[in-house]
Amino acid sequence: MHKGFLKIAAITGILSVVLGAFAAHALKGLVSDHSVTTFETGVRYQFYHVFALMAVGIFYKEFPSGILIWAGRFFLLGILLFSGSLYTLAIVQASVKPGYNWIGAITPFGGICFIAGWLLLFLSFFRKN
């Protein structure tokens, strides 16, 4: 399982760089500064959690536990919900489509997943092998 999280971290890291470059070069000229900032926040949190996924993969090799697997799952779900909702919100704002601001309500659920992942990572260190 540890290699799975490491692979996901690598792919997610690649996507972070690609999406960050997209925001810096392509998106800046097309949308408002607010939309770019929203998009870049998604990229930043995605990139932070690349390292969390890497840590889970590395720690799992030495300290395998279900708690650690769930920590990785919550980090990944947090990326999908938090960053994904911000990407979607920025693009919807850019296309000036009214009525889609509810997408922003998904973002806190991603934040809760991030918190759960960090808490489970912390708790995994108290598990006895």
Side-chain angles (χ1 to χ4, degrees), residues 31-75:
V31 300
S32 70
D33 289 343
H34 178 70
S35 291
V36 172
T37 301
T38 299
F39 197 92
E40 287 175 339
T41 299
V43 172
R44 185 171 49 253
Y45 275 82
Q46 178 176 328
F47 198 63
Y48 292 158
H49 289 87
V50 165
F51 297 109
L53 285 169
M54 288 173 60
V56 167
I58 292 166
F59 293 146
Y60 188 80
K61 183 177 180 192
E62 294 298 321
F63 311 106
S65 75
I67 294 172
L68 209 47
I69 290 172
W70 276 103
R73 288 175 179 166
F74 274 110
F75 288 140

Side-chain angles (χ1 to χ4, degrees), residues 87-107:
Y87 300 148
T88 304
L89 189 61
I91 290 170
V92 165
Q93 288 171 346
S95 63
V96 193
K97 300 242 185 228
Y100 288 97
N101 285 338
W102 61 266
I103 295 168
I106 297 170
T107 309

